[in-house]
Each structure stands twice: as C-alpha cells, then as structure tokens.
PDB file of all heavy atoms in Angstrom:
ATOM      1  N   ARG A  44      -7.602  -8.498  13.885  1.00 92.00           N
ATOM      2  CA  ARG A  44      -7.037  -9.673  14.523  1.00 92.00           C
ATOM      3  C   ARG A  44      -7.803 -10.925  14.110  1.00 92.00           C
ATOM      4  O   ARG A  44      -9.035 -10.930  14.063  1.00 92.00           O
ATOM      5  CB  ARG A  44      -7.090  -9.516  16.049  1.00 92.00           C
ATOM      6  CG  ARG A  44      -6.169  -8.421  16.586  1.00 92.00           C
ATOM      7  CD  ARG A  44      -4.707  -8.760  16.338  1.00 92.00           C
ATOM      8  NE  ARG A  44      -3.815  -7.729  16.904  1.00 92.00           N
ATOM      9  CZ  ARG A  44      -2.502  -7.717  16.734  1.00 92.00           C
ATOM     10  NH1 ARG A  44      -1.926  -8.668  16.005  1.00 92.00           N
ATOM     11  NH2 ARG A  44      -1.767  -6.762  17.275  1.00 92.00           N
ATOM     12  N   ALA A  45      -7.047 -11.986  13.798  1.00 92.00           N
ATOM     13  CA  ALA A  45      -7.673 -13.265  13.436  1.00 92.00           C
ATOM     14  C   ALA A  45      -8.549 -13.759  14.599  1.00 92.00           C
ATOM     15  O   ALA A  45      -8.184 -13.574  15.765  1.00 92.00           O
ATOM     16  CB  ALA A  45      -6.591 -14.296  13.122  1.00 92.00           C
ATOM     17  N   PRO A  46      -9.696 -14.328  14.309  1.00 91.00           N
ATOM     18  CA  PRO A  46     -10.241 -14.681  12.988  1.00 91.00           C
ATOM     19  C   PRO A  46     -11.217 -13.644  12.441  1.00 91.00           C
ATOM     20  O   PRO A  46     -12.046 -13.953  11.598  1.00 91.00           O
ATOM     21  CB  PRO A  46     -10.957 -15.986  13.281  1.00 91.00           C
ATOM     22  CG  PRO A  46     -11.538 -15.766  14.659  1.00 91.00           C
ATOM     23  CD  PRO A  46     -10.529 -14.923  15.392  1.00 91.00           C
ATOM     24  N   HIS A  47     -11.124 -12.384  12.924  1.00 90.00           N
ATOM     25  CA  HIS A  47     -12.148 -11.387  12.606  1.00 90.00           C
ATOM     26  C   HIS A  47     -11.875 -10.619  11.312  1.00 90.00           C
ATOM     27  O   HIS A  47     -12.643  -9.734  10.955  1.00 90.00           O
ATOM     28  CB  HIS A  47     -12.270 -10.394  13.770  1.00 90.00           C
ATOM     29  CG  HIS A  47     -12.648 -11.032  15.072  1.00 90.00           C
ATOM     30  ND1 HIS A  47     -13.911 -11.526  15.322  1.00 90.00           N
ATOM     31  CD2 HIS A  47     -11.907 -11.297  16.176  1.00 90.00           C
ATOM     32  CE1 HIS A  47     -13.944 -12.045  16.539  1.00 90.00           C
ATOM     33  NE2 HIS A  47     -12.739 -11.929  17.080  1.00 90.00           N
ATOM     34  N   SER A  48     -10.798 -10.943  10.614  1.00 92.00           N
ATOM     35  CA  SER A  48     -10.497 -10.259   9.358  1.00 92.00           C
ATOM     36  C   SER A  48     -11.154 -10.965   8.182  1.00 92.00           C
ATOM     37  O   SER A  48     -11.679 -12.075   8.317  1.00 92.00           O
ATOM     38  CB  SER A  48      -8.986 -10.212   9.137  1.00 92.00           C
ATOM     39  OG  SER A  48      -8.486 -11.523   8.907  1.00 92.00           O
ATOM     40  N   TYR A  49     -11.099 -10.338   7.016  1.00 92.00           N
ATOM     41  CA  TYR A  49     -11.652 -10.923   5.792  1.00 92.00           C
ATOM     42  C   TYR A  49     -10.968 -12.238   5.456  1.00 92.00           C
ATOM     43  O   TYR A  49     -11.610 -13.218   5.057  1.00 92.00           O
ATOM     44  CB  TYR A  49     -11.488  -9.920   4.648  1.00 92.00           C
ATOM     45  CG  TYR A  49     -11.942 -10.407   3.290  1.00 92.00           C
ATOM     46  CD1 TYR A  49     -13.294 -10.584   3.006  1.00 92.00           C
ATOM     47  CD2 TYR A  49     -11.021 -10.684   2.281  1.00 92.00           C
ATOM     48  CE1 TYR A  49     -13.723 -11.025   1.768  1.00 92.00           C
ATOM     49  CE2 TYR A  49     -11.429 -11.121   1.034  1.00 92.00           C
ATOM     50  CZ  TYR A  49     -12.786 -11.283   0.780  1.00 92.00           C
ATOM     51  OH  TYR A  49     -13.208 -11.728  -0.459  1.00 92.00           O
ATOM     52  N   THR A  50      -9.638 -12.277   5.642  1.00 92.00           N
ATOM     53  CA  THR A  50      -8.877 -13.474   5.286  1.00 92.00           C
ATOM     54  C   THR A  50      -8.851 -14.511   6.398  1.00 92.00           C
ATOM     55  O   THR A  50      -8.461 -15.652   6.168  1.00 92.00           O
ATOM     56  CB  THR A  50      -7.423 -13.108   4.944  1.00 92.00           C
ATOM     57  OG1 THR A  50      -6.794 -12.569   6.119  1.00 92.00           O
ATOM     58  CG2 THR A  50      -7.357 -12.096   3.811  1.00 92.00           C
ATOM     59  N   GLY A  51      -9.226 -14.110   7.625  1.00 93.00           N
ATOM     60  CA  GLY A  51      -9.113 -15.012   8.763  1.00 93.00           C
ATOM     61  C   GLY A  51      -7.739 -14.961   9.409  1.00 93.00           C
ATOM     62  O   GLY A  51      -7.455 -15.715  10.341  1.00 93.00           O
ATOM     63  N   GLU A  52      -6.870 -14.063   8.927  1.00 94.00           N
ATOM     64  CA  GLU A  52      -5.518 -13.902   9.456  1.00 94.00           C
ATOM     65  C   GLU A  52      -5.374 -12.514  10.075  1.00 94.00           C
ATOM     66  O   GLU A  52      -6.206 -11.634   9.856  1.00 94.00           O
ATOM     67  CB  GLU A  52      -4.480 -14.055   8.332  1.00 94.00           C
ATOM     68  CG  GLU A  52      -4.586 -15.361   7.569  1.00 94.00           C
ATOM     69  CD  GLU A  52      -3.765 -15.354   6.295  1.00 94.00           C
ATOM     70  OE1 GLU A  52      -3.555 -14.265   5.721  1.00 94.00           O
ATOM     71  OE2 GLU A  52      -3.346 -16.438   5.871  1.00 94.00           O
ATOM     72  N   ASP A  53      -4.299 -12.298  10.851  1.00 93.00           N
ATOM     73  CA  ASP A  53      -3.980 -10.948  11.304  1.00 93.00           C
ATOM     74  C   ASP A  53      -3.697 -10.083  10.077  1.00 93.00           C
ATOM     75  O   ASP A  53      -2.896 -10.450   9.210  1.00 93.00           O
ATOM     76  CB  ASP A  53      -2.738 -10.962  12.210  1.00 93.00           C
ATOM     77  CG  ASP A  53      -3.023 -11.565  13.582  1.00 93.00           C
ATOM     78  OD1 ASP A  53      -4.212 -11.654  13.949  1.00 93.00           O
ATOM     79  OD2 ASP A  53      -2.061 -11.940  14.274  1.00 93.00           O
ATOM     80  N   THR A  54      -4.354  -8.938  10.002  1.00 91.00           N
ATOM     81  CA  THR A  54      -4.242  -8.085   8.813  1.00 91.00           C
ATOM     82  C   THR A  54      -4.098  -6.623   9.236  1.00 91.00           C
ATOM     83  O   THR A  54      -4.751  -6.175  10.185  1.00 91.00           O
ATOM     84  CB  THR A  54      -5.487  -8.215   7.920  1.00 91.00           C
ATOM     85  OG1 THR A  54      -5.697  -9.591   7.596  1.00 91.00           O
ATOM     86  CG2 THR A  54      -5.323  -7.421   6.630  1.00 91.00           C
ATOM     87  N   ALA A  55      -3.235  -5.892   8.529  1.00 91.00           N
ATOM     88  CA  ALA A  55      -3.075  -4.459   8.753  1.00 91.00           C
ATOM     89  C   ALA A  55      -3.431  -3.716   7.476  1.00 91.00           C
ATOM     90  O   ALA A  55      -3.111  -4.160   6.368  1.00 91.00           O
ATOM     91  CB  ALA A  55      -1.643  -4.130   9.162  1.00 91.00           C
ATOM     92  N   GLU A  56      -4.105  -2.592   7.624  1.00 92.00           N
ATOM     93  CA  GLU A  56      -4.503  -1.794   6.461  1.00 92.00           C
ATOM     94  C   GLU A  56      -4.127  -0.341   6.725  1.00 92.00           C
ATOM     95  O   GLU A  56      -4.499   0.235   7.751  1.00 92.00           O
ATOM     96  CB  GLU A  56      -6.011  -1.916   6.248  1.00 92.00           C
ATOM     97  CG  GLU A  56      -6.537  -1.142   5.061  1.00 92.00           C
ATOM     98  CD  GLU A  56      -8.034  -1.344   4.887  1.00 92.00           C
ATOM     99  OE1 GLU A  56      -8.464  -2.508   4.741  1.00 92.00           O
ATOM    100  OE2 GLU A  56      -8.762  -0.336   4.918  1.00 92.00           O
ATOM    101  N   ILE A  57      -3.394   0.267   5.811  1.00 92.00           N
ATOM    102  CA  ILE A  57      -2.952   1.655   5.954  1.00 92.00           C
ATOM    103  C   ILE A  57      -3.771   2.535   5.022  1.00 92.00           C
ATOM    104  O   ILE A  57      -3.868   2.265   3.818  1.00 92.00           O
ATOM    105  CB  ILE A  57      -1.450   1.792   5.628  1.00 92.00           C
ATOM    106  CG1 ILE A  57      -0.615   0.949   6.588  1.00 92.00           C
ATOM    107  CG2 ILE A  57      -1.020   3.255   5.682  1.00 92.00           C
ATOM    108  CD1 ILE A  57       0.860   0.891   6.234  1.00 92.00           C
ATOM    109  N   SER A  58      -4.349   3.590   5.559  1.00 92.00           N
ATOM    110  CA  SER A  58      -5.086   4.577   4.763  1.00 92.00           C
ATOM    111  C   SER A  58      -4.307   5.887   4.775  1.00 92.00           C
ATOM    112  O   SER A  58      -4.084   6.476   5.840  1.00 92.00           O
ATOM    113  CB  SER A  58      -6.491   4.804   5.341  1.00 92.00           C
ATOM    114  OG  SER A  58      -7.240   3.608   5.338  1.00 92.00           O
ATOM    115  N   CYS A  59      -3.858   6.324   3.584  1.00 91.00           N
ATOM    116  CA  CYS A  59      -3.168   7.606   3.470  1.00 91.00           C
ATOM    117  C   CYS A  59      -4.010   8.540   2.602  1.00 91.00           C
ATOM    118  O   CYS A  59      -5.145   8.224   2.250  1.00 91.00           O
ATOM    119  CB  CYS A  59      -1.765   7.422   2.909  1.00 91.00           C
ATOM    120  SG  CYS A  59      -1.697   6.596   1.305  1.00 91.00           S
ATOM    121  N   HIS A  60      -3.452   9.689   2.234  1.00 88.00           N
ATOM    122  CA  HIS A  60      -4.266  10.692   1.554  1.00 88.00           C
ATOM    123  C   HIS A  60      -4.561  10.377   0.094  1.00 88.00           C
ATOM    124  O   HIS A  60      -5.371  11.034  -0.523  1.00 88.00           O
ATOM    125  CB  HIS A  60      -3.604  12.074   1.677  1.00 88.00           C
ATOM    126  CG  HIS A  60      -3.837  12.695   3.016  1.00 88.00           C
ATOM    127  ND1 HIS A  60      -2.851  12.796   3.960  1.00 88.00           N
ATOM    128  CD2 HIS A  60      -4.959  13.198   3.577  1.00 88.00           C
ATOM    129  CE1 HIS A  60      -3.344  13.374   5.052  1.00 88.00           C
ATOM    130  NE2 HIS A  60      -4.620  13.622   4.849  1.00 88.00           N
ATOM    131  N   GLY A  61      -3.897   9.403  -0.481  1.00 75.00           N
ATOM    132  CA  GLY A  61      -4.394   8.843  -1.732  1.00 75.00           C
ATOM    133  C   GLY A  61      -3.847   9.418  -3.011  1.00 75.00           C
ATOM    134  O   GLY A  61      -4.243   8.985  -4.082  1.00 75.00           O
ATOM    135  N   GLY A  62      -2.936  10.399  -2.964  1.00 83.00           N
ATOM    136  CA  GLY A  62      -2.321  10.829  -4.210  1.00 83.00           C
ATOM    137  C   GLY A  62      -1.487   9.710  -4.804  1.00 83.00           C
ATOM    138  O   GLY A  62      -0.951   8.861  -4.074  1.00 83.00           O
ATOM    139  N   ILE A  63      -1.344   9.703  -6.116  1.00 91.00           N
ATOM    140  CA  ILE A  63      -0.645   8.589  -6.765  1.00 91.00           C
ATOM    141  C   ILE A  63       0.800   8.477  -6.274  1.00 91.00           C
ATOM    142  O   ILE A  63       1.270   7.396  -5.913  1.00 91.00           O
ATOM    143  CB  ILE A  63      -0.686   8.756  -8.293  1.00 91.00           C
ATOM    144  CG1 ILE A  63      -2.127   8.634  -8.793  1.00 91.00           C
ATOM    145  CG2 ILE A  63       0.199   7.703  -8.970  1.00 91.00           C
ATOM    146  CD1 ILE A  63      -2.278   8.892 -10.277  1.00 91.00           C
ATOM    147  N   TYR A  64       1.511   9.600  -6.213  1.00 93.00           N
ATOM    148  CA  TYR A  64       2.919   9.562  -5.816  1.00 93.00           C
ATOM    149  C   TYR A  64       3.065   9.128  -4.361  1.00 93.00           C
ATOM    150  O   TYR A  64       3.891   8.262  -4.031  1.00 93.00           O
ATOM    151  CB  TYR A  64       3.571  10.931  -6.023  1.00 93.00           C
ATOM    152  CG  TYR A  64       5.014  10.961  -5.593  1.00 93.00           C
ATOM    153  CD1 TYR A  64       6.005  10.319  -6.341  1.00 93.00           C
ATOM    154  CD2 TYR A  64       5.394  11.596  -4.405  1.00 93.00           C
ATOM    155  CE1 TYR A  64       7.328  10.321  -5.935  1.00 93.00           C
ATOM    156  CE2 TYR A  64       6.712  11.607  -3.989  1.00 93.00           C
ATOM    157  CZ  TYR A  64       7.670  10.966  -4.755  1.00 93.00           C
ATOM    158  OH  TYR A  64       8.985  10.957  -4.347  1.00 93.00           O
ATOM    159  N   VAL A  65       2.248   9.731  -3.475  1.00 92.00           N
ATOM    160  CA  VAL A  65       2.315   9.400  -2.050  1.00 92.00           C
ATOM    161  C   VAL A  65       1.998   7.927  -1.828  1.00 92.00           C
ATOM    162  O   VAL A  65       2.686   7.231  -1.068  1.00 92.00           O
ATOM    163  CB  VAL A  65       1.341  10.283  -1.238  1.00 92.00           C
ATOM    164  CG1 VAL A  65       1.244   9.795   0.198  1.00 92.00           C
ATOM    165  CG2 VAL A  65       1.779  11.729  -1.271  1.00 92.00           C
ATOM    166  N   THR A  66       0.960   7.439  -2.508  1.00 92.00           N
ATOM    167  CA  THR A  66       0.565   6.037  -2.356  1.00 92.00           C
ATOM    168  C   THR A  66       1.692   5.105  -2.790  1.00 92.00           C
ATOM    169  O   THR A  66       1.968   4.089  -2.133  1.00 92.00           O
ATOM    170  CB  THR A  66      -0.704   5.751  -3.172  1.00 92.00           C
ATOM    171  OG1 THR A  66      -1.748   6.617  -2.743  1.00 92.00           O
ATOM    172  CG2 THR A  66      -1.167   4.313  -2.974  1.00 92.00           C
ATOM    173  N   ARG A  67       2.349   5.458  -3.887  1.00 92.00           N
ATOM    174  CA  ARG A  67       3.469   4.636  -4.360  1.00 92.00           C
ATOM    175  C   ARG A  67       4.619   4.629  -3.354  1.00 92.00           C
ATOM    176  O   ARG A  67       5.240   3.588  -3.113  1.00 92.00           O
ATOM    177  CB  ARG A  67       3.956   5.151  -5.716  1.00 92.00           C
ATOM    178  CG  ARG A  67       3.048   4.780  -6.877  1.00 92.00           C
ATOM    179  CD  ARG A  67       3.572   5.366  -8.172  1.00 92.00           C
ATOM    180  NE  ARG A  67       2.740   4.965  -9.304  1.00 92.00           N
ATOM    181  CZ  ARG A  67       2.855   5.501 -10.514  1.00 92.00           C
ATOM    182  NH1 ARG A  67       3.755   6.451 -10.737  1.00 92.00           N
ATOM    183  NH2 ARG A  67       2.078   5.098 -11.504  1.00 92.00           N
ATOM    184  N   ARG A  68       4.901   5.782  -2.758  1.00 93.00           N
ATOM    185  CA  ARG A  68       5.980   5.863  -1.774  1.00 93.00           C
ATOM    186  C   ARG A  68       5.651   5.041  -0.530  1.00 93.00           C
ATOM    187  O   ARG A  68       6.512   4.340   0.022  1.00 93.00           O
ATOM    188  CB  ARG A  68       6.236   7.324  -1.376  1.00 93.00           C
ATOM    189  CG  ARG A  68       6.908   8.181  -2.442  1.00 93.00           C
ATOM    190  CD  ARG A  68       8.351   7.735  -2.711  1.00 93.00           C
ATOM    191  NE  ARG A  68       9.153   7.623  -1.499  1.00 93.00           N
ATOM    192  CZ  ARG A  68       9.825   8.635  -0.916  1.00 93.00           C
ATOM    193  NH1 ARG A  68       9.785   9.856  -1.479  1.00 93.00           N
ATOM    194  NH2 ARG A  68      10.548   8.434   0.166  1.00 93.00           N
ATOM    195  N   VAL A  69       4.388   5.112  -0.080  1.00 93.00           N
ATOM    196  CA  VAL A  69       3.975   4.338   1.093  1.00 93.00           C
ATOM    197  C   VAL A  69       4.067   2.842   0.792  1.00 93.00           C
ATOM    198  O   VAL A  69       4.553   2.054   1.611  1.00 93.00           O
ATOM    199  CB  VAL A  69       2.548   4.728   1.535  1.00 93.00           C
ATOM    200  CG1 VAL A  69       2.031   3.774   2.615  1.00 93.00           C
ATOM    201  CG2 VAL A  69       2.496   6.165   2.030  1.00 93.00           C
ATOM    202  N   LEU A  70       3.610   2.456  -0.400  1.00 92.00           N
ATOM    203  CA  LEU A  70       3.680   1.049  -0.798  1.00 92.00           C
ATOM    204  C   LEU A  70       5.137   0.584  -0.869  1.00 92.00           C
ATOM    205  O   LEU A  70       5.486  -0.516  -0.410  1.00 92.00           O
ATOM    206  CB  LEU A  70       2.992   0.859  -2.147  1.00 92.00           C
ATOM    207  CG  LEU A  70       2.965  -0.562  -2.716  1.00 92.00           C
ATOM    208  CD1 LEU A  70       2.225  -1.514  -1.769  1.00 92.00           C
ATOM    209  CD2 LEU A  70       2.304  -0.592  -4.094  1.00 92.00           C
ATOM    210  N   SER A  71       6.007   1.420  -1.421  1.00 94.00           N
ATOM    211  CA  SER A  71       7.431   1.084  -1.525  1.00 94.00           C
ATOM    212  C   SER A  71       8.041   0.911  -0.141  1.00 94.00           C
ATOM    213  O   SER A  71       8.851  -0.004   0.089  1.00 94.00           O
ATOM    214  CB  SER A  71       8.160   2.177  -2.302  1.00 94.00           C
ATOM    215  OG  SER A  71       9.555   1.912  -2.357  1.00 94.00           O
ATOM    216  N   ALA A  72       7.642   1.765   0.796  1.00 94.00           N
ATOM    217  CA  ALA A  72       8.153   1.668   2.163  1.00 94.00           C
ATOM    218  C   ALA A  72       7.705   0.372   2.825  1.00 94.00           C
ATOM    219  O   ALA A  72       8.468  -0.261   3.570  1.00 94.00           O
ATOM    220  CB  ALA A  72       7.687   2.875   2.980  1.00 94.00           C
ATOM    221  N   CYS A  73       6.469  -0.046   2.545  1.00 92.00           N
ATOM    222  CA  CYS A  73       5.955  -1.305   3.100  1.00 92.00           C
ATOM    223  C   CYS A  73       6.755  -2.491   2.558  1.00 92.00           C
ATOM    224  O   CYS A  73       7.077  -3.427   3.295  1.00 92.00           O
ATOM    225  CB  CYS A  73       4.477  -1.469   2.763  1.00 92.00           C
ATOM    226  SG  CYS A  73       3.373  -0.336   3.644  1.00 92.00           S
ATOM    227  N   VAL A  74       7.076  -2.455   1.256  1.00 93.00           N
ATOM    228  CA  VAL A  74       7.851  -3.545   0.641  1.00 93.00           C
ATOM    229  C   VAL A  74       9.262  -3.588   1.231  1.00 93.00           C
ATOM    230  O   VAL A  74       9.804  -4.665   1.511  1.00 93.00           O
ATOM    231  CB  VAL A  74       7.897  -3.370  -0.891  1.00 93.00           C
ATOM    232  CG1 VAL A  74       8.861  -4.369  -1.523  1.00 93.00           C
ATOM    233  CG2 VAL A  74       6.498  -3.546  -1.482  1.00 93.00           C
ATOM    234  N   LYS A  75       9.849  -2.396   1.464  1.00 93.00           N
ATOM    235  CA  LYS A  75      11.181  -2.351   2.089  1.00 93.00           C
ATOM    236  C   LYS A  75      11.154  -2.992   3.475  1.00 93.00           C
ATOM    237  O   LYS A  75      12.119  -3.612   3.923  1.00 93.00           O
ATOM    238  CB  LYS A  75      11.645  -0.895   2.212  1.00 93.00           C
ATOM    239  CG  LYS A  75      12.123  -0.268   0.931  1.00 93.00           C
ATOM    240  CD  LYS A  75      12.591   1.153   1.215  1.00 93.00           C
ATOM    241  CE  LYS A  75      12.967   1.883  -0.064  1.00 93.00           C
ATOM    242  NZ  LYS A  75      13.368   3.289   0.219  1.00 93.00           N
ATOM    243  N   ALA A  76      10.025  -2.815   4.164  1.00 92.00           N
ATOM    244  CA  ALA A  76       9.891  -3.341   5.529  1.00 92.00           C
ATOM    245  C   ALA A  76       9.575  -4.833   5.552  1.00 92.00           C
ATOM    246  O   ALA A  76       9.478  -5.422   6.626  1.00 92.00           O
ATOM    247  CB  ALA A  76       8.812  -2.562   6.279  1.00 92.00           C
ATOM    248  N   GLY A  77       9.394  -5.455   4.378  1.00 92.00           N
ATOM    249  CA  GLY A  77       9.191  -6.899   4.325  1.00 92.00           C
ATOM    250  C   GLY A  77       7.873  -7.360   3.736  1.00 92.00           C
ATOM    251  O   GLY A  77       7.645  -8.568   3.601  1.00 92.00           O
ATOM    252  N   ALA A  78       6.979  -6.426   3.384  1.00 91.00           N
ATOM    253  CA  ALA A  78       5.705  -6.809   2.773  1.00 91.00           C
ATOM    254  C   ALA A  78       5.934  -7.290   1.340  1.00 91.00           C
ATOM    255  O   ALA A  78       6.925  -6.927   0.698  1.00 91.00           O
ATOM    256  CB  ALA A  78       4.732  -5.638   2.784  1.00 91.00           C
ATOM    257  N   GLN A  79       5.015  -8.106   0.839  1.00 89.00           N
ATOM    258  CA  GLN A  79       5.083  -8.593  -0.538  1.00 89.00           C
ATOM    259  C   GLN A  79       3.851  -8.129  -1.296  1.00 89.00           C
ATOM    260  O   GLN A  79       2.733  -8.121  -0.741  1.00 89.00           O
ATOM    261  CB  GLN A  79       5.156 -10.115  -0.584  1.00 89.00           C
ATOM    262  CG  GLN A  79       6.426 -10.698   0.009  1.00 89.00           C
ATOM    263  CD  GLN A  79       6.454 -12.211  -0.078  1.00 89.00           C
ATOM    264  OE1 GLN A  79       5.435 -12.849  -0.311  1.00 89.00           O
ATOM    265  NE2 GLN A  79       7.628 -12.789   0.101  1.00 89.00           N
ATOM    266  N   PRO A  80       4.004  -7.736  -2.571  1.00 88.00           N
ATOM    267  CA  PRO A  80       2.818  -7.351  -3.362  1.00 88.00           C
ATOM    268  C   PRO A  80       1.839  -8.512  -3.468  1.00 88.00           C
ATOM    269  O   PRO A  80       2.248  -9.672  -3.618  1.00 88.00           O
ATOM    270  CB  PRO A  80       3.412  -7.005  -4.737  1.00 88.00           C
ATOM    271  CG  PRO A  80       4.851  -6.685  -4.465  1.00 88.00           C
ATOM    272  CD  PRO A  80       5.258  -7.576  -3.329  1.00 88.00           C
TER     273      PRO A  80
END
C-alpha cells in the first residue's frame, strides 16, 4: 500500500511456481484483466 511500496504507489505482486509456460499464462491472464506490460 502506498507510500510503502518501491514505487510509492499501490502495488500487487504475484508469485507462482515459476515454470516458463505457467508464468506466461499467468502474465497473459493479468493482461486480459487490464494490466499493461
């Protein structure tokens, strides 16, 4: 929660199991939900 993040903004960070395919799918789902690269 701002201002306690690195950027000073509200920030969310998702940690998954880290395989390349799974990570890509999670990232794709985030973009579908409105996130930007």
Side-chain angles (χ1 to χ4, degrees):
R44 292 295 182 186
H47 300 288
S48 68
Y49 177 71
T50 64
E52 304 168 332
D53 288 342
T54 305
E56 181 178 302
I57 299 173
S58 299
C59 57
H60 282 107
I63 294 176
Y64 178 73
V65 171
T66 302
R67 284 178 177 169
R68 288 293 308 274
V69 171
L70 180 60
S71 177
C73 289
V74 172
K75 284 182 185 178
Q79 294 181 344

